[in-house]
Amino acid sequence: MKLFYAKASPFVRKVLVVAHELGLFERIELLSAAAHPINRDANIRAQNPLAQVPTLILDDGTMLADSRVICEYLDHLGQGGFFPAPGPARWTALTAQSTGDGLLDAALLCVYETRVRQETERSPAWVAGQREKIVDALAQIEAAAPAFGERVDIATITYGCGLGYLDLRLPDLGWRERAPAAAEWYARFGARPSMQATRPE
């Protein structure tokens, strides 16, 4: 398998954490990519029309895109059980993943607005709106965190990658002060070998 990736991408990190947890990492060849919202990487685009990371190319040439799809494929391949079987537990896990992904989407939009757009094109109101989404998602994670324990599933992996990305790109948000229970949980979860091995530099 081949994975188009970027070290700083939290969605790529999700995939890599799952791969490490399932013992599949060594089966994946990492292809460095220059994913960009405007200047799209032609190498990724040749495989994925959206030219986004992560993009996974299977051994038979099949292309899988989007961290949610790739993580579920890897979970199936490695028989990990990170995605519950159809039923209430699955819908809960997928909804939690969606909340974590939404936090990441909002954080990325803040980064794009301040790093990619020209200063004259930037909208403080846009950034404020995205940061408000992050704060609301944090509140939901904070409410759920006391029950996480030592769980490792698609919900906790997504949340962990989300909180790590806030450290990387939005440290001024002070998420630990806003979400102390989540911070206590993340101190343990972030120490996992899979999280340490995928820390963006």
Side-chain angles (χ1 to χ4, degrees):
M1 296 180 284
K2 298 179 181 181
L3 181 72
F4 286 99
Y5 87 113
K7 287 184 178 180
S9 166
F11 293 109
V12 168
R13 191 181 188 190
K14 272 178 62 181
V15 169
L16 295 180
V17 168
V18 169
H20 276 283
E21 291 284 347
L22 296 174
L24 297 173
F25 179 73
E26 299 300 327
R27 294 175 58 179
I28 299 174
E29 178 185 350
L30 298 180
L31 303 177
S32 186
H36 191 277
I38 299 172
N39 303 316
R40 298 189 300 153
D41 187 316
N43 291 323
I44 315 172
R45 188 178 176 189
Q47 300 290 335
N48 175 355
L50 300 180
Q52 294 174 332
V53 292
T55 294
L56 183 69
I57 310 301
L58 304 186
D59 293 338
D60 66 0
T62 300
M63 183 274 288
L64 300 180
D66 191 282
S67 66
R68 288 170 285 198
V69 175
I70 298 171
C71 286
E72 188 156 5
Y73 171 78
L74 294 176
D75 187 57
H76 171 74
L77 187 64
Q79 300 181 333
F82 292 163
F83 289 80
R90 179 177 178 82
W91 316 139
T92 298
L94 293 182
T95 298
Q97 177 183 215
S98 181
T99 298
D101 282 346
L103 180 152
L104 287 174
D105 284 334
L108 278 170
L109 289 172
C110 287
V111 170
Y112 289 159
E113 187 73 7
T114 56
R115 292 187 175 208
V116 176
R117 292 172 70 93
Q118 298 295 322
E119 189 170 356
T120 56
E121 299 175 334
R122 296 173 189 167
S123 168
W126 172 267
V127 173
Q130 302 309 314
R131 288 172 73 99
E132 188 173 305
K133 291 179 187 178
I134 295 169
V135 169
D136 287 349
L138 271 174
Q140 184 163 320
I141 297 170
E142 173 71 1
F148 287 164
E150 301 304 315
R151 264 177 51 201
V152 181
D153 59 17
I154 196 57
T156 57
I157 290 170
T158 305
Y159 286 160
C161 292
L163 298 177
Y165 192 70
L166 295 183
D167 281 341
L168 179 68
R169 292 293 190 236
L170 296 174
D172 64 302
L173 190 68
W175 72 264
R176 286 175 175 80
E177 290 71 30
R178 297 173 182 271
E184 181 180 344
W185 165 78
Y186 180 70
R188 300 191 309 274
F189 192 84
R192 294 184 66 82
S194 63
M195 291 290 287
Q196 290 294 308
T198 59
R199 284 183 66 180
E201 301 173 357

